[in-house]
Structure formats: C-alpha cells, structure tokens
Amino acid sequence: MRTFVEMCLPLQLLISLTLSLIYCHADHDISARAAFLRISAPRLPRNTPRHSSPSRLQPSASISSIRSIRRNGIALPAAADGTAASARTSGSDAESSANRICIVGGGFGGLLTALGLSKLPWKVQPEITLIDTKDQFVFLPLLYELAVGTAEQSEVAPLFRELLYGTGIRFVKGRVDSIDVDGKKLSVSGAGGERRELGYGRLVLAMGGEPSAGGIPGVERALRFTALNDAIQLKKEIQRIKRIRDRPARVVLVGGGYIGVELATNLAAALSSQSPPPQISLLHRGPQLMPLSAEHNRKQAIRALREARVDVSLETSVASIRPASDTSGSEVVVQKKGSEDSSVLPADLVIMTAGVRASGLADMVNGRVERGRGGRLAVERTLAVKGLGDVYAIGDVADLGGVEGEGTAQAAFQQADYLVWNIWASYNDKKPLAYRYTKLGEMLTFGPLDGSVAALGDRVTLGGPLASIARRSAYIIRQPTPRQRLRAALSYLGLSSQKGLLRTLVDRFPGRSRATEIPIEGGSSRESDDELSASPPVVKADREEQASGQPWTSLEPLSGPVFVAGATGRTGRRVVRSLLEQGWRVVAGVRPGGITRAEAIYANSSFIGQEEDIKGRLEFREWDGMNEDSISRAIQGCPFVVCALGANSLSLAAPSTVDGKITQNLIRISAATAPYSTETNQLLRHFVLVTSLGTGSFGLPASSLNLFGGILLIKRQSERLLEKSGLQYTIVRPGGLERAGDDYEREHPLVVYGADEKYGGIVSRQQVADLCAQALCRPEVSKNKIFEAVTATGSEAAQLISERQRQGDSATLDTRYRDLMAAVSQ
Ligand SMILES: Cc1cc2nc3c(=O)[nH]c(=O)nc-3n(C[C@H](O)[C@H](O)[C@H](O)COP(=O)(O)OP(=O)(O)OC[C@H]3O[C@@H](n4cnc5c(N)ncnc54)[C@H](O)[C@@H]3O)c2cc1C
C-alpha cells in the first residue's frame, strides 16, 4: 500500500501541475491544447481535416495578400483605434463590405474570434472590424475580484485599443442597434447619437447576455452583477455597507447559481472585519445550489457558504422588492415553495444574479430567424445562424440546442476557435467544422484565498487556497493577449503583496478560514485568531466550567496525561510508545468507531509490550475532529497534547481537512478549554505539533510537497494559529519520513535545527516520536520553540556516533535530546 501511495504521489503532483496548464490554454485555444498534447495542429480545432490546413494550402498567402492589399489600396489594416476607425466608417463603404468581417461584441467570443482571424493567412486579407459599446474587454469571471478590490481594473477590463494594437483589427466603438440581413449592413450608433451604416460580408453576433427583468416588481431596486459597471457600483456599495456600524448590515443575494454563490462568499470575505458581522442571505428558487456544477464544487461551495455564515434559503422565490418604510434600504418579499404565506427580508443591499437573457439586439435580427431559449439565436453546429449562411452567432447569444457548456466563457472560447476556421473556410471553399464542446472543468472563487476546482470529470479536484491560486494563475494565462497576460500577472502579484495576500497565503493557509470561520458542528464560536492571540488570552466564560473538572494547575512533566491526536497513525503510535516508555500516561485519540482497531494495533506485543505498568497507563478515547464537543471531551483532563495528524489520503483536499481544519480545531479547543494561570499569565497546556520541513519558508526540495494539496502552506497556518493561541507550544518539523526504519538512529543520529534552517533530509518516525516526548519532558528548552529534525549522514554521522560511544551510558536518549534542543534554544 505504501509503495502504491508513493507511486501515486508523483502522478498526483503531475496532475496538479498540469491542471493550470489545461485551464490556461486548452479550453479556449484548441491549437494550444493540441500542442500540449504534442499533436501538431496549427491553431485549428482538433477535428480539422489535416489536408485542409490553411498554412499548407497557402504557405505564403499572408505576405502576398498583405502586399496585394497594399497595392490595391483596399481594406488596409487600420490602427486599433476607435477614433480613426470611426472616421473611416463614415459614408458609404459598400465597395469593401464583401470582404469585411464584422464582429458585434468584444467579449470572450467576439474578441477571440477577431484575434484568431487576424492571425490566419488569407488570399485576400479581409477587413476585420470589431464593434463594442464599451472601450474595454471585460474578463467577467474576475468581476468579483474587481468588486471586492482584489484585482485591478487593468487586469479585469483592459482597453480594446491596447489589446488590438498591432493586430490590424479595426475597432469601432458604438452600439449596433439594427441589423439588415438582406442588405448585409448594420446600423451603429455612437455615444453622441451619431449613426453610421456598416456593410459586411460575414457577420458574427457575439453580444452576450443581459439581465432579464424577470417580471419581479421593484427589481430595479436591486443591483445586477453582469457587467463592469455593476462591479464598480458594488465596490461603492461595499464601502457604504461598511459604514453601517450600529446594527448588522443586511445583504440579500437572489440566485443560487455559481455567480450568486461566488458573490456571496466574496462579499462575506470583504466584510469579514465588519462589526457587528453582516447578515448575508442567499435566496435560491431551486432545491439545490449550483445545479449545473460538479459535485466537488457544490460541496466546496456549501462548505464555503457555511464558513462565511451566509444564510441560504432554497426553494425560495422573490415576489417583489419594495422600499423599506424606516430606512433607505429595501424589503425583499419572499415566498417559500408550497407556502401561501410570504415573508419580508429587510436589506441594505439587494443583488440579483438570477435572470439572464440573450442581448436585446438578437431581437433585431429579422423574423426569419429561429429563436432558442432565453431569446437566443438558434444556430447550426457550424455556428451559422439557422437560415442565414453568412451570419454567425457564438457565446451567450447563441443557442446550440442544449450542447453542454452554454452560457460559459469556456464555451465561448472554444466556439471562437471553430468559428475562426469556419469563416476562413467560407472564404476558401472549404467545409465548415461542426462545433464540439470539450468539458474541461470549472473553477470557482469563494474569496481571495479560497476556491474550488473540479476538472476531468471530477477526477482532479482542488479546494481552498490552492484552488484559488490555480484559478487566478489560469485566468492570467487565459487573458486574450501575451501582453495582457504579463500585465495581469504583475497586477496580481503587485496587488497581492500590497494587500498582504501572498503573505497571508503562506501564513494563514487555508485561506479565509480564520479561526473565526472554522466550521465546527454544533459550535458557533466566532473568536478570531487575533482574539486568541490577544495578551493575556481571552478566557471564555465557559472556561471555568471546563477547568473545574480538570485536576492540573501547573505543567510539571508527568503531571497529567498526554492526549495524542493521530494515535493510530505511523508517527502517532510511535509517539504513544515513546511517551509510555518514559513514564507518561497517554490518552490515545482515535477516530469514531476506531477503538477496536486501535486496541489491535497496540495489543501487538512487539509494539508496547505486555507490561501491565505500561498498558495501564494507556487509555483510548474516540474523537471527531470536526466536532467541538467531541474535541473538548477527548482532551478533557489532559494538560499535554501532541498532534501527530497528517493527511495520507490521495485526495488533494485531504490536507485542508486533516492538516488544516481538524488540526486547527484541536488547537483552538485546546486553547479555549485550558485553565488560565493569572500567576504566570499563560494558558496551562503544552501543545506539541508535528508538521514538516519547508513549512516556514520556501526551499527545495521540501517546498515541492506543496503540490500535494498545498500541504505545507496549510500546515503553516496551523503553526501560526498555535503560535498565537496562548498555549505553550513546541513545533516539530521532520524531514522525509518514508525511508528510515525505527532503528535508523543507530547509524544516523538525529540533529535538531531551528526554524527555517533545513529544506531536505531524512529522519525516522521513531526519532520524531522521541523528540516529541522529550519536548514534553524538557519544557525549559522546548517551550515556544520550532525544531527541525533531520539526521546526520556520512562523516558527520560517523563523528556523532563515535562521540556518543565515548560518552557511553551518559549519552541517554534523555540527555542527548535535551542537549540537541538546548543547542537550538540558545
Ligand atoms: C460575474 C460573472 C462571472 C462569470 N464567471 C464565469 C466563469 O467563472 N467561467 C465561465 O466559463 N463563465 C463565466 N461567466 C460567463 C461568461 O463570462 C460568459 O458566458 C461569457 O462572457 C460569454 O461570452 P460572450 O462573448 O458571449 O459575451 P460577453 O463576454 O458578455 O461579451 C458581450 C460583448 O458584447 C457587447 N455588446 C452587447 N450588445 C452590443 C451591441 N448592441 N453593440 C455592440 N456591442 C454589444 C458587450 O459590451 C460585451 O462586451 C461569468 C459571467 C459573469 C457575469
């Protein structure tokens, strides 16, 4: 089994690494995916017939056509500058319109189609004209970050002028407000009301969607969240909400699709420092949140909503939104499914994320055109609008009759690739390709340091901060041009470090789940790690109650039992053995229902032996690390705790549960239930935490472990929580544990280092266990220290062994380990 796990680990690391690559290119750039898969296909959809590659048919078409165009003086590529283009569009342009490809809408579908077309070689270079009402392309999946201030506008909404610079694409700023498909022309109106006609040879409709009123009376009181201006407006609203201090601010979000969930959790994160805490409600009409999402993402979403304390109401519809009688806010009238009665939710801010329909412009395409769901244009698999051969539609405005992925940027990206080919093919008498959607997965944000990723049909999953990093990294590379990718990367890094996010990522992993937000079943504690770190530590009201049953008033070694978390694990059981051998009483923590298994492990005579004295000092207690009461009961009466928990499952999410939540729950409850000594001004409990080399700062090879679910970053957050908890603590960071047997010490003596000194080395689990036991025996040298543990090799090992032999009996485990720890402590 161990070999199997070891064999799988590199595979898992590889999957982690490739995940962002898959997202970065493959889903929106089929040729890039082909390159990634080592299939040589020049920027064409995967099922493009290889004999019809344009580059093979016209090897030098690009250069010759540009020369020919220049000679003939037609369709000269214009600067991507709205002003210049507008000037040229005035008057009649009928003579050049057959060779003009007009693209209405510069969102994901339209912009990528324009960029793709501009890179193809043409016999006669067409004029590619992109028309949009705005000056900027908007990377909609990053709209949350823009609203809550964790992304800059330059990353989320770059100017078309900059994106199109040097591409030859003409940009026209204006609103297309009518389309004459018989006359093959568009009417474009400018901001000042001026109107122009623009002829086309091929037309691409990529106007996306727009919010639908949904027939809810008073819906205009709600903020929508579908466009750049909505995010800017929300940013202002957040500031307004933050000024409400005399009572909890109330935010109601309508719609439990992924946008509603992502927005609710991001808002909660943005308002997390608000006092009193805001009341955020999420209303959803259906029985299940995010019905179209992967199971993993849905579970993560529910987890994130619970941590963010968002109040979710399912099967709840909004009947109307009306002004509040006593405040400047609103009242949302809601109705539960199956109930005649309605109730009223007061709100300082209402946000509608539900109800999107195709852009109203779709209505302008004349009546011959079939309409699909939500007013979308019914299109063939070639992406041509049904009944109109030279008009194409992609993205949110197109209805492909239920093909998966509709209404997502991912689909728009993929459609753009097909469309580029099909338009090129239409000019070159080639067969168009039928669009096929490749589902690559889904990435969600739940705040600046939390997210969820499900890819390859839920086989590759990430949660928490690693998912958040993977998502932002993928979105950097998904940006439409190389220059914009660089800008987005710099903006992310700059803003992250400015806001302390990078530091926080390392220090407070996993993410937003501060101590305040750790979900503990049955518990409602909201104290933060800052509160825990307050000096003197805040003693909870129920502490006296807890403490009354506890017999200890000091931390004298051997004065009370040691609770060992992870006592049936490979390190934990050796910790138990080491403690028992040194005379401690031990409470071995085992998972619910695990006592029989634990007894079987410990009954093995070669493990702790049969001596009644030793066996009589061992007690098993079941505990559930996600349940506050269960943890309290398990550690009751134990002044000492050793946490030897560690994720050993292949799931990438395991570290965030085991090394993150459960470990942090144990730390928090240990602090919350420890007696407080007014004499020494400290909590009376010594907590030993086993983590790993490379936890404190970056260094190879140790840090590469982070590819395994971000495990070191998660462990670091647990370390930080312990450092701030007010508990007396010792952190033991071992090197690689897999290769050394229990007798490793004989040939490879242990060497102990201070924090962030070592990033590689081997140590045995038994050596780690001995070090943990010694830390409790020698609080004078171990208190509030970090020890990094690796073994000596080569000549250093030989020297230490001969030194030990010289010392003979005086080199006992006790003295040796104490000296090792003392050396670090000096
Ligand atoms: C908040 C939010 C988060 C999202 N997150 C994700 C996600 O994580 N993953 C995912 O896959 N999808 C996501 N989506 C959905 C995704 O962004 C859309 O499916 C995608 O943008 C559709 O692309 P499009 O090209 O069809 O339209 P859009 O990107 O909406 O672009 C349409 C463009 O057309 C322009 N336009 C509209 N009407 C006219 C007109 N009459 N004349 C000229 N120009 C016009 C608009 O100004 C706009 O620039 C999200 C959407 C939102 C709102």
Side-chain angles (χ1 to χ4, degrees):
M1 179 61 191
R2 185 165 131 190
T3 329
F4 175 72
V5 172
E6 281 168 359
M7 278 165 58
C8 286
L9 188 61
L11 185 67
Q12 218 175 38
L13 301 185
L14 195 65
I15 292 171
S16 290
L17 266 178
T18 51
L19 187 65
S20 72
L21 285 175
I22 293 171
Y23 274 110
C24 294
H25 284 285
D27 63 340
H28 67 87
D29 185 335
I30 294 172
S31 59
R33 184 167 65 235
F36 177 68
L37 297 172
R38 299 190 179 281
I39 301 165
S40 109
R43 235 196 121 61
L44 295 174
R46 202 168 35 180
N47 53 356
T48 302
R50 292 188 61 76
H51 64 271
S52 56
S53 157
S55 51
R56 288 176 63 181
L57 284 172
Q58 291 95 22
S60 57
S62 167
I63 298 167
S64 61
S65 58
I66 290 169
R67 283 196 191 123
S68 128
I69 291 161
R70 287 200 176 127
R71 262 198 313 276
N72 299 331
I74 52 162
L76 267 177
D81 170 325
T83 324
S86 303
R88 269 185 293 274
T89 55
S90 58
S92 165
D93 64 351
E95 73 276 17
S96 61
S97 62
N99 208 27
R100 176 182 297 140
I101 304 168
C102 275
I103 300 166
V104 186
F108 283 107
L111 177 63
L112 291 169
T113 302
L115 289 170
L117 288 168
S118 75
K119 288 177 194 155
L120 288 184
W122 297 89
K123 280 187 221 161
V124 178
Q125 181 76 29
E127 179 190 307
I128 303 163
T129 300
L130 181 68
I131 308 154
D132 202 291
T133 50
K134 306 185 306 306
D135 287 312
Q136 303 102 329
F137 159 74
V138 184
F139 200 112
L140 289 172
L142 285 172
L143 222 49
Y144 319 100
E145 278 89 345
L146 183 63
V148 300
T150 52
E152 285 174 337
Q153 192 159 326
S154 60
E155 181 184 355
V156 183
L159 291 170
F160 283 118
R161 200 180 328 124
E162 291 173 359
L163 294 175
L164 302 181
Y165 182 80
T167 62
I169 298 166
R170 296 175 66 188
F171 176 63
V172 175
K173 185 182 172 189
R175 174 171 299 279
V176 174
D177 42 30
S178 71
I179 301 167
D180 174 1
V181 289
D182 296 322
K184 289 195 167 199
K185 55 188 180 196
L186 309 169
S187 167
V188 187
S189 56
E194 69 280 13
R195 188 172 282 249
R196 295 193 177 88
E197 286 200 336
L198 205 54
Y200 63 81
R202 303 285 184 280
L203 175 64
V204 177
L205 300 174
M207 303 85 69
E210 61 186 25
S212 69
I216 300 175
V219 74
E220 63 285 351
R221 297 190 62 79
L223 181 68
R224 307 305 296 234
F225 198 70
T226 54
L228 179 61
N229 283 341
D230 299 334
I232 294 169
Q233 181 61 30
L234 180 55
K235 205 171 183 170
K236 290 184 194 148
E237 291 291 325
I238 291 173
Q239 295 314 316
R240 181 176 68 79
I241 294 282
K242 281 184 174 172
R243 287 194 291 274
I244 302 175
R245 301 229 171 88
D246 52 336
R247 58 172 174 78
R250 297 156 307 200
V251 182
V252 175
L253 292 108
V254 184
Y258 67 89
I259 298 181
V261 170
E262 288 181 288
L263 193 53
T265 45
N266 272 276
L267 262 178
L271 296 171
S272 62
S273 57
Q274 178 88 339
S275 179
Q279 290 168 357
I280 301 179
S281 308
L282 178 63
L283 313 178
H284 183 55
R285 217 161 57 170
Q288 185 184 45
L289 291 174
M290 305 198 320
L292 301 177
S293 290
E295 186 60 24
H296 165 79
N297 282 350
R298 203 175 310 121
K299 281 188 184 154
Q300 288 285 323
I302 292 166
R303 188 261 311 156
L305 287 164
R306 201 176 53 206
E307 288 180 16
R309 290 169 202 278
V310 174
D311 183 22
V312 178
S313 301
L314 299 177
E315 301 194 316
T316 304
S317 309
V318 174
S320 67
I321 306 171
R322 61 191 188 206
S325 46
D326 52 344
T327 65
S328 58
S330 304
E331 288 178 348
V332 184
V333 183
V334 297
Q335 202 148 22
K336 198 88 182 145
K337 190 179 170 194
S339 159
E340 296 282 286
D341 304 329
S342 54
S343 54
V344 172
L345 279 178
D348 299 296
L349 175 63
V350 186
I351 307 172
M352 287 288 293
T353 65
V356 175
R357 47 153 284 143
S359 155
L361 180 63
D363 300 334
M364 309 283 174
V365 183
N366 66 14
R368 295 202 309 261
V369 176
E370 203 185 304
R371 306 301 290 274
R373 285 156 301 135
R376 296 190 213 164
L377 297 165
V379 296
E380 310 278 2
R381 284 298 182 103
T382 59
L383 302 167
V385 174
K386 284 186 177 168
L388 300 173
D390 44 17
V391 181
Y392 301 84
I394 60 168
D396 286 1
V397 83
D399 181 0
L400 275 142
V403 175
E404 223 188 335
E406 277 185 6
T408 66
Q410 206 177 124
F413 271 117
Q414 295 184 24
Q415 289 168 9
D417 270 332
Y418 281 85
L419 186 54
V420 166
W421 166 259
N422 287 352
I423 291 177
W424 184 91
S426 76
Y427 277 107
N428 289 279
D429 297 329
K430 302 290 165 210
K431 272 183 74 173
L433 292 172
Y435 165 68
R436 268 197 341 225
Y437 175 70
T438 310
K439 186 174 181 180
L440 290 147
E442 184 186 50
M443 301 188 285
L444 303 173
T445 169
F446 304 134
L449 301 171
D450 193 5
S452 182
V453 172
L456 307 178
D458 239 5
R459 279 189 289 274
V460 178
T461 56
L462 293 177
L466 198 67
S468 167
I469 299 169
R471 175 178 171 276
R472 281 302 283 267
S473 309
Y475 284 178
I476 285 169
I477 306 174
R478 267 181 168 184
Q479 293 278 353
T481 63
R483 201 182 138 109
Q484 181 58 18
R485 269 167 227 152
L486 181 65
R487 172 189 283 185
L490 293 176
S491 156
Y492 178 43
L493 288 174
L495 207 69
S496 300
S497 62
Q498 186 191 323
K499 291 201 168 252
L501 285 185
L502 286 184
R503 198 184 148 72
T504 314
L505 262 176
V506 175
D507 289 349
R508 301 186 60 191
F509 229 77
R512 277 167 56 282
S513 52
R514 303 179 311 158
T516 56
E517 293 155 335
I518 293 171
I520 307 243
E521 281 169 30
S524 59
S525 169
R526 283 191 71 91
E527 84 257 81
S528 69
D529 52 353
D530 293 332
E531 284 166 332
L532 279 174
S533 72
S535 180
V538 178
V539 181
K540 281 175 54 166
D542 62 355
R543 177 163 294 144
E544 284 83 282
E545 223 174 278
Q546 295 275 0
S548 62
Q550 295 172 346
W552 80 92
T553 52
S554 73
L555 287 179
E556 289 301 312
L558 305 178
S559 68
V562 184
F563 177 80
V564 179
T568 52
R570 285 180 290 163
T571 305
R573 68 178 82 154
R574 287 170 175 80
V575 171
V576 172
R577 176 167 67 183
S578 199
L579 287 164
L580 289 171
E581 283 172 355
Q582 291 183 43
W584 291 86
R585 281 183 291 138
V586 177
V587 174
V590 298
R591 66 180 66 183
I595 288 197
T596 313
R597 178 174 167 261
E599 281 174 343
I601 290 173
Y602 284 91
N604 182 335
S605 56
S606 67
F607 199 70
I608 57 168
Q610 294 300 320
E611 288 172 40
E612 285 308 318
D613 167 48
I614 286 193
K615 281 166 63 186
R617 284 188 276 113
L618 176 60
E619 179 195 342
F620 294 103
R621 276 187 209 165
E622 292 182 357
W623 72 299
D624 173 359
M626 300 297 277
N627 184 304
E628 185 172 307
D629 293 335
S630 168
I631 299 172
S632 285
R633 280 195 302 274
I635 61 175
Q636 191 162 12
C638 298
F640 304 92
V641 175
V642 178
C643 177
L645 291 170
N648 64 1
S649 118
L650 286 180
S651 158
L652 288 177
S656 88
T657 306
V658 180
D659 302 84
K661 283 192 198 92
I662 294 179
T663 301
Q664 289 160 23
N665 290 346
L666 182 61
I667 294 168
R668 204 163 60 78
I669 303 303
S670 293
T673 58
Y676 176 63
S677 160
T678 43
E679 205 176 299
T680 56
N681 195 23
Q682 65 174 15
L683 292 180
L684 290 174
R685 192 168 253 149
H686 190 153
F687 194 115
V688 178
L689 175 64
V690 182
T691 60
S692 170
L693 283 192
T695 306
S697 63
F698 184 86
L700 292 173
S703 297
S704 60
L705 271 181
N706 266 324
L707 292 170
F708 180 53
I711 189 161
L712 298 187
L713 298 173
I714 291 168
K715 282 178 186 285
R716 178 60 191 146
Q717 198 207 19
S718 300
E719 288 184 356
R720 282 254 306 162
L721 188 63
L722 180 59
E723 285 164 356
K724 290 173 148 202
S725 67
L727 295 165
Q728 186 163 308
Y729 70 86
T730 305
I731 293 168
V732 175
R733 293 178 180 166
L737 290 165
E738 296 299 330
R739 282 193 268 158
D742 282 354
D743 57 354
Y744 204 62
E745 171 73 16
R746 265 194 283 159
E747 304 290 324
H748 301 87
L750 181 74
V751 185
V752 176
Y753 294 85
D756 305 333
E757 287 189 45
K758 295 299 284 183
Y759 297 97
I762 292 174
V763 66
S764 75
R765 293 180 190 278
Q766 189 57 55
Q767 287 169 310
V768 174
D770 291 341
L771 186 59
C772 291
Q774 287 302 318
L776 293 183
C777 290
R778 302 291 167 202
E780 72 282 5
V781 287
S782 70
K783 184 181 157 188
N784 300 347
K785 291 284 173 336
I786 296 177
F787 297 127
E788 295 188 340
V790 291
T791 49
T793 53
S795 59
E796 191 192 4
Q799 199 184 333
L800 286 169
I801 290 167
S802 67
E803 171 83 6
R804 199 187 300 170
Q805 282 162 352
R806 259 201 316 280
Q807 289 173 2
D809 278 351
S810 64
T812 60
L813 195 70
D814 182 18
T815 53
R816 221 159 31 76
Y817 276 50
R818 183 186 53 203
D819 293 347
L820 286 172
M821 292 189 291
V824 171
S825 303
Q826 277 159 13

